[in-house]
Amino acid sequence: MELSNNVAFEIFSWLPAKSICKLKLTCESFSEFSKESTFKTKQAHNLFGRDDTCFFIQPEQTRQGFEKRVELHSLPKEQQSSGIPKNVLTFLSNSACVLASSNGLVLCHTINNNDKLELFVCNPITKSWSFIPTPESLQINYSNFANINLMLDCSRDSPDDFLVFLFENTMDYYFSPKTSYICKVYHGKEGVWKTMERRFFPGGRNMNFDMPVFHNGAVHIISDSGDYFGKSSPFYKPYIMSYNLEDGTSTMLELPREATKDCPAVWCNMGIFNWGKVTSYSNHRSICLVKLSKSAFTIWILKDYESASWKKVFKVRVKDLGLKEEKDVDVERVGFTVMNGGDLLVFSTENKIYSCRLDDERFKMVEEICKHNCGPNPRFISYSDTLRSCGINAQTMP
Amino acid sequence: MAQEASSSTSSKTISLKTGDGEIFEIEASAAKQMKTVQRLIDDLGDDITIPLHNVFSKELPKIIEYYKKDITGEITKDFEAEFVKDLNDDEVKVLFLAANYLDANKLFEFLSQNIADRLESKSVEYVRKYFGVENDFTPEEESKLREERAWSFRGIKEDE
C-alpha cells in the first residue's frame, strides 16, 4: 500500500534528526521535503519536550582553558537514533566550549588562542551556526573561563527564536562580596542584547551558574556551601536563589534541612535540576536537589514551591551501586546530572560514565554507558537532535 | 439496524457503514472529532447511516474505541501503549491511513509518532517498502549521499 508524500512528511517529522538524515536516502522526494524549513520547524516542534537522547561532556570549567575536549555520548538504547556527525564534534572539540543546549540548539563560546571570545548558537545536525555579538563584559574576561555565566532557552511556540541569558558580575572579581549581577538577555530573532531593569541579588554566597533550572518563569541557581559566614547570617546555610525573568525579583528558596545539616563544609557537592516532564498527559514540573556526600547520592524533590517543602525520594550508597572500578571511587571527583526530568541520574567517575534509573526506589538499575577522558568533575549538558533553525544570520559551519 | 434519535445531543449516536458493508455506532461527540465524518453529517444529516468507503470493519472498531476514551478524557500513556502493543507495522499503517481519511487529528498524530518510533532504527530499504516508493537516485547520487551521511548509519540493527 502506497503512502503519499505528505503522509511521509508527517511521519518523518516525529523522527529524531539522525534518523531523518539516514532516511533521506529513501528516495528523491523524501530527501527534498526534509530540507524545507516548514519541515524542520515541525520536527523541532514535535520533538520539543521529548526526552533528551544524549549528552555532551567536557572537562570542568577551570580546566577548559588548556584541555580542549568535547565528547558526546548517547544514553543506553538510544545509540542508533541519536548523535551528531563526527566532523562536527571534532570541530567543536577543538575550538569551542559547550555551554548549554535546548531543543537541538547548542550554545558555545570559542576557545581559540587569539584574543577574541566569540559566542555562537549552532545546530550540529544541520551544520548551521549563528554568531551572537559578544557583550563587552565578556570580552574583558576572556581568560577567566570560570566567569562566563550563560544560559540558553528555546521556546516551543517561537521556532525562530531563542533566548540567551547572561549574568554579569558587577563588581570586580577581586573585591568581595559579589552583591549583584546584571542580567542581559539576547533575543535570537531580533539579534540584540537587552538589559533587565532589576538586578539579580544572589545573597552573599558564590553561586553555581552552570546548572541553572528554568521553572515557574524564573531561573534558579544554587549557591556554594563554603564556610565563610557566621551562624547568625541569613546566608549561613547554602540556598537557592531564583530570579524572575519577567519582573526581575530575586527570591531565596530554602533547601531541605536534612541536606544542609552538615553545611557549611569544606566539600559539599549539590546540584539542582529540572524534575518532571510536560507531556500531552500531564504537566508536573518541579526542581530536584541531588546531594553527593562522602558515601551516597540523595535526591529530594520540591513538593510545594510556595512553602519550600521538599521530599526525599531517593538514596543510594555509592558502594551499593555495584560499579566495576579499578580503585575505590573518589567521590570528590565525581560529576553528575539528572536527565529527562528525573528518569536518570547520570554520573561520572574518573574514567567511566554510568546511568542509574530513578523510577524505582527498590530496584536501582545502574548501567555503564561508556568511558570518557574528561577528567574529574566534568560538566554534563544534555542534548537531543532536532533540525531546529538557528534563526537569522544562520550560516554553514566550516 | 434502527437508530435511536433522542432529544439530547449528548447521548445521540451516529451510524457508520464501512466499505465492506458493516455498521457501527458512535456517539455524536466522538463523531465530531473526526472531521470527515462531521462533514458528511453536516451534508447528509445525522439520521442517515454515514457511508465510509475507505474504512473497513477491521479498523473502525479500534478507532471508535480510541475516541470513546477520548471524549471521557481517559486517554493515558498506558492506554495508548496498550492500544498499539499488538499491532504489527502493517496493521498500524492501515489504521493510520484510516485516521488520515477520517481527518481524526488526535489519533492521526498519535499514530504518526508511533510509526516514526517503529521506523527510527529500520533500514532505508525497509522504509522504502513501507512507503511503497522506489529508489529514484542514480547510483552516483546514492553513494555520494551515503558517504555524506555515513555517521547516521552507525548502530543500525538488522531488520526484524
Side-chain angles (χ1 to χ4, degrees):
Chain A
M1 193 187 294
E2 214 182 274
L3 297 179
S4 63
N5 238 21
N6 57 350
V7 159
F9 186 98
E10 178 73 34
I11 295 178
F12 273 36
S13 72
W14 292 95
L15 288 169
K18 181 177 172 184
S19 299
I20 295 176
C21 287
K22 173 188 69 171
L23 294 175
K24 279 188 190 182
L25 265 112
T26 314
C27 66
E28 185 95 42
S29 44
F30 285 13
S31 179
E32 283 310 302
F33 75 59
S34 58
K35 292 188 197 145
E36 288 172 31
S37 57
T38 46
F39 179 74
K40 292 182 187 175
T41 308
K42 187 161 210 253
Q43 194 261 1
H45 184 269
N46 284 346
L47 263 68
F48 191 94
R50 289 231 284 193
D51 290 347
D52 285 339
T53 50
C54 16
F55 55 91
F56 288 103
I57 177 171
Q58 303 169 109
E60 60 176 333
Q61 273 188 323
T62 51
R63 290 166 74 116
Q64 262 153 11
F66 52 90
E67 212 179 287
K68 294 185 193 181
R69 185 175 201 91
V70 178
E71 291 181 16
L72 178 77
H73 298 285
S74 306
L75 291 177
K77 300 192 190 84
E78 299 288 353
Q79 263 115 10
Q80 298 172 29
S81 52
S82 63
I84 66 175
K86 201 162 178 194
N87 54 352
V88 177
L89 187 60
T90 313
F91 172 76
L92 287 178
S93 189
N94 287 336
S95 53
C97 164
V98 174
L99 294 164
S101 172
S102 175
N103 198 216
L105 292 186
V106 185
L107 173 69
C108 312
H109 73 76
T110 56
I111 45 171
N112 302 320
N113 288 325
N114 49 6
D115 310 56
K116 264 188 82 182
L117 179 91
E118 294 184 299
L119 297 176
F120 62 89
V121 162
C122 71
N123 184 322
I125 307 273
T126 61
K127 297 199 180 118
S128 63
W129 63 353
S130 168
F131 276 89
I132 296 175
T134 314
E136 261 183 62
S137 58
L138 286 187
Q139 285 176 12
I140 310 169
N141 256 339
Y142 76 91
S143 56
N144 188 352
F145 289 129
N147 257 349
I148 300 177
N149 306 323
L150 285 161
M151 303 147 199
L152 176 69
D153 193 33
C154 291
S155 86
R156 183 184 215 148
D157 303 313
S158 25
D160 290 333
D161 204 6
F162 55 84
L163 296 174
V164 179
F165 297 90
L166 169 67
F167 284 89
E168 272 178 6
N169 196 345
T170 56
M171 303 215 110
D172 190 278
Y173 188 67
Y174 295 102
F175 287 94
S176 62
K178 300 188 186 62
T179 51
S180 69
Y181 288 80
I182 296 177
C183 178
K184 294 198 175 146
V185 186
Y186 178 81
H187 296 254
K189 205 163 187 177
E190 299 168 47
V192 289
W193 284 97
K194 295 185 184 168
T195 309
M196 296 272 293
E197 234 182 82
R198 296 175 72 169
R199 295 183 182 188
F200 176 48
F201 290 94
R205 288 190 167 276
N206 290 335
M207 304 305 280
N208 205 339
F209 281 99
D210 62 355
M211 49 177 99
V213 173
F214 286 92
H215 176 66
N216 260 2
V219 61
H220 298 72
I221 320 269
I222 190 170
S223 73
D224 72 356
S225 35
D227 191 359
Y228 48 87
F229 279 108
K231 272 205 173 129
S232 56
S233 161
F235 309 122
Y236 178 62
K237 294 275 183 191
Y239 52 86
I240 294 175
M241 195 60 88
S242 73
Y243 179 70
N244 187 305
L245 294 167
E246 239 164 85
D247 59 17
T249 47
S250 308
T251 318
M252 189 191 288
L253 183 64
E254 273 178 25
L255 291 172
R257 220 163 284 159
E258 198 188 328
T260 57
K261 64 176 190 245
D262 59 348
C263 297
V266 169
W267 176 83
C268 177
N269 197 350
M270 293 200 284
I272 49 171
F273 307 95
N274 279 108
W275 183 269
K277 307 187 201 189
V278 179
T279 64
S280 46
Y281 318 96
S282 63
N283 188 344
H284 302 301
R285 295 209 85 187
S286 186
I287 303 177
C288 67
L289 170 74
V290 179
K291 178 173 178 173
L292 175 59
S293 68
K294 281 289 178 190
S295 57
F297 278 106
T298 319
I299 303 183
W300 291 263
I301 41 177
L302 184 62
K303 275 290 175 186
D304 183 66
Y305 192 78
E306 300 301 319
S307 62
S309 58
W310 299 79
K311 181 179 169 197
K312 181 160 75 170
V313 293
F314 185 86
K315 179 165 182 172
V316 65
R317 294 157 76 93
V318 175
K319 60 180 195 229
D320 291 342
L321 289 168
L323 308 179
K324 294 190 182 61
E325 290 277 323
E326 285 167 3
K327 39 188 174 132
D328 282 341
V329 176
D330 183 355
V331 172
E332 290 188 23
R333 294 161 88 83
V334 166
F336 57 85
T337 186
V338 168
M339 280 185 67
N340 296 331
D343 275 352
L344 289 176
L345 172 71
V346 177
F347 59 94
S348 67
T349 59
E350 197 85 38
N351 296 310
K352 297 190 192 171
I353 306 178
Y354 298 86
S355 70
C356 176
R357 293 192 63 94
L358 297 176
D359 47 10
D360 195 329
E361 174 71 42
R362 296 154 295 141
F363 187 59
K364 294 157 177 113
M365 212 179 90
V366 177
E367 264 185 274
E368 180 185 320
I369 300 180
C370 56
K371 298 197 168 51
H372 76 96
N373 282 315
C374 293
N377 305 110
R379 270 195 81 184
F380 286 90
I381 295 168
S382 72
Y383 169 75
S384 66
D385 45 343
T386 73
L387 298 173
R388 188 170 175 128
S389 126
C390 292
I392 57 168
N393 313 330
Q395 294 160 349
T396 325
M397 289 167 84
Chain B
M1 204 188 281
Q3 184 193 292
E4 314 285 4
S6 56
S7 45
S8 70
T9 41
S10 56
S11 55
K12 196 170 171 69
T13 59
I14 311 282
S15 289
L16 303 174
K17 185 169 171 189
T18 65
D20 49 347
E22 280 198 44
I23 300 192
F24 297 91
E25 306 269 322
I26 57 164
E27 312 265 328
S29 43
K32 260 207 173 71
Q33 305 296 328
M34 307 182 210
K35 298 206 192 86
T36 308
V37 175
Q38 190 57 47
R39 273 195 290 268
L40 288 168
I41 294 174
D42 292 340
D43 286 342
L44 304 171
D46 52 13
D47 292 332
I48 317 184
T49 305
I50 308 288
L52 298 173
H53 301 298
N54 274 343
V55 184
F56 298 88
S57 50
K58 190 154 185 249
E59 301 87 60
L60 192 55
K62 203 116 169 115
I63 298 177
I64 293 175
E65 181 195 332
Y66 186 86
Y67 277 100
K68 243 192 180 129
K69 280 275 178 175
D70 184 39
I71 54 180
T72 56
E74 276 172 36
I75 296 198
T76 63
K77 197 164 166 190
D78 291 331
F79 170 74
E80 285 193 331
E82 264 305 304
F83 191 76
V84 289
K85 197 173 69 150
D86 297 322
L87 301 174
N88 66 27
D89 290 352
D90 286 317
E91 286 168 339
V92 81
K93 178 164 58 168
V94 168
L95 201 59
F96 170 78
L97 288 172
N100 187 22
Y101 171 77
L102 294 171
D103 207 347
N105 200 39
K106 191 159 176 184
L107 183 61
F108 180 74
E109 270 196 16
F110 164 57
L111 292 176
S112 305
Q113 204 171 337
N114 189 252
I115 294 180
D117 290 343
R118 289 163 189 253
L119 295 180
E120 220 173 85
S121 37
K122 293 288 202 290
S123 70
V124 175
E125 254 313 302
Y126 186 89
V127 174
R128 278 190 198 127
K129 286 207 195 85
Y130 195 78
F131 283 91
V133 293
E134 290 287 319
N135 177 6
D136 50 359
F137 291 112
T138 66
E140 298 88 39
E141 286 172 340
E142 184 170 353
S143 58
K144 178 163 176 267
L145 277 175
R146 265 190 198 265
E147 208 184 293
E148 275 174 16
R149 298 175 196 293
W151 67 277
S152 61
F153 283 88
R154 256 186 273 131
I156 305 300
K157 62 174 188 242
E158 293 299 314
D159 288 337
E160 280 149 32

